[in-house]
Amino acid sequence: MEQVMMGRRWGAVVLAGALMLAAAAGAAPVQLEVRAEGPDGAEGDAVSWSAVPLDLPEEANVLDAMVMTEAPVQGPWRVALEPGRYLFSGFTPVELYEAEVEVTAGMAEIVVPVLEIAGGVALRCAEARCDFADAATGLRVTLPQGWAVDQPYFADLGDGVLAEEISTVFFEDVEGDGGAVWFLNPLDWISDETGPCRAVAQGVLCTFDESPAAEAAFAVIAPTLQRVAP
């Protein structure tokens, strides 16, 4: 009960803060319900949400402007935001959700789909160790048996600007949900909020849960990360 009350109090604080920002900007806040849509079109686990304004002035602090949930939310996230462009991001132990949305007056609901990683699975490792090299990005790495890697890419930062660091996902190749996972240089990841991150040669590796399977894979993946000229 105490956790529920804390969640309600936090929701009230977020709502009040958003209303104050909207009033200061002279714009009426838009009352929204933000929902996550899984691959099958259904809602799944509780989601940790954030909404980042995309039209901030250069001197603005993004973390101060970000609106986020203190704890995962089951069902719709009810939030009030002033009109404008936002990047909505959601995380569960098994899924990532993301969408850029223009919030306008009269809007009531936003459905955020699963984040699709461009290119899909690049390699599934069935041997004791598998060396992987991506010609497009120059990423090289070794995978442990039973793990896979998505096609590496340079994240789109908006306005045609690409990230300098390579991003991809390493995951335990098991049926169903719950396998261990490591994200290389994920966008919109808040360390210690979304999950822990560790510095590696090619940036950071982040995970939801430092499970034994994740630790064993990290011991193989992290020291072998390299980048060569494509």
Side-chain angles (χ1 to χ4, degrees):
M1 179 63 72
E2 182 179 353
Q3 184 177 6
V4 172
M5 293 302 296
M6 287 181 64
R8 289 177 178 172
R9 287 197 295 269
W10 176 254
V13 170
V14 170
L15 177 59
L19 290 171
M20 291 174 64
L21 287 172
V30 181
Q31 304 287 339
L32 297 169
E33 288 193 354
V34 181
R35 300 177 183 273
E37 183 177 56
D40 57 357
E43 295 183 14
D45 297 332
V47 182
S48 297
W49 287 107
S50 67
V52 180
L54 296 179
D55 297 320
L56 294 171
E58 291 185 4
E59 65 274 12
N61 187 311
V62 174
L63 291 179
D64 288 343
M66 179 188 299
V67 180
M68 59 185 296
T69 56
E70 184 181 53
V73 175
Q74 187 70 54
W77 175 34
R78 295 178 175 87
V79 63
L81 299 173
E82 62 182 276
R85 291 191 309 129
Y86 290 83
L87 180 65
F88 289 87
S89 300
F91 304 91
T92 76
V94 296
E95 294 288 6
L96 295 175
Y97 303 89
E98 187 172 286
E100 182 178 321
V101 179
E102 179 84 23
V103 174
T104 59
M107 182 179 288
E109 182 181 57
I110 294 173
V111 178
V112 183
V114 171
L115 177 63
E116 296 291 340
I117 304 298
V121 178
L123 175 68
R124 300 180 187 274
C125 183
E127 307 296 331
R129 294 285 190 275
C130 299
D131 294 328
F132 171 71
D134 179 58
T137 62
L139 180 68
R140 291 185 179 180
V141 66
T142 298
L143 300 181
Q145 187 175 38
W147 277 67
V149 57
D150 279 340
Q151 187 64 46
Y153 64 100
F154 294 102
D156 187 350
L157 303 179
D159 297 326
V161 178
L162 297 181
E164 294 183 0
E165 295 178 322
I166 302 168
S167 294
T168 191
V169 182
F170 304 99
F171 59 95
E172 193 176 11
D173 196 13
V174 296
E175 291 187 9
D177 299 332
V181 61
W182 286 100
F183 300 88
L184 179 63
N185 301 319
L187 291 181
D188 306 313
W189 190 283
I190 303 174
S191 184
D192 298 328
E193 291 284 346
T194 308
C197 293
R198 299 178 186 177
V200 293
Q202 299 305 318
V204 293
L205 280 171
C206 304
T207 187
F208 296 124
D209 181 25
E210 294 171 311
S211 65
E215 294 288 4
F218 183 89
V220 176
I221 294 170
T224 62
L225 282 167
Q226 302 178 58
R227 181 177 177 181
V228 299

